[in-house]
Amino acid sequence: MVREITQMRIEMLGTAFTAQHSDARVLDQLIYKWAHSRAVIAHVLGEEVKKLCATGWKPTRAEIRRDVGRLFGGSYEEFMAKSLK
């Protein structure tokens, strides 16, 4: 389920969201589930990069690092830094 939701979000939003999945009720569950979610998110992002490569676009390391950073909190930080003016 985590894979399907993450894949759908990436297809619809790109990397304009912070990837997280947890229904953890206590800290012990959160730690276990976070390790699993990170692995799934990495796999989904890798599959999306493969799709892009198949179309002829070759992402740079900097672009991949940017996308990983956005998925793991950077998109939230970008949003919060925006001015309301």
Side-chain angles (χ1 to χ4, degrees):
M1 195 158 121
V2 173
R3 183 190 57 77
E4 293 168 354
I5 291 170
T6 302
Q7 184 175 7
M8 180 178 63
R9 286 179 179 167
I10 287 178
E11 288 172 357
M12 291 180 357
L13 303 171
T15 56
F17 69 99
T18 297
Q20 66 83 30
H21 300 279
S22 181
D23 57 352
R25 309 271 186 300
V26 295
L27 186 58
D28 291 344
Q29 288 178 347
L30 181 62
I31 292 168
Y32 160 77
K33 290 180 180 220
W34 179 235
H36 176 256
S37 290
R38 281 192 348 226
V40 171
I41 293 163
H43 177 76
V44 169
L45 184 59
E47 292 299 314
E48 291 301 312
V49 169
K50 284 182 190 176
K51 290 178 190 176
L52 291 171
C53 288
T55 68
W57 179 69
K58 303 293 184 209
T60 65
R61 283 182 183 250
E63 290 169 325
I64 293 172
R65 285 183 181 168
R66 178 204 61 207
D67 290 346
V68 170
R70 292 184 84 207
L71 288 171
F72 289 101
S75 63
Y76 171 76
E77 292 168 359
E78 288 174 22
F79 175 78
M80 293 305 291
K82 291 182 179 183
S83 173
L84 296 176
K85 294 180 183 181

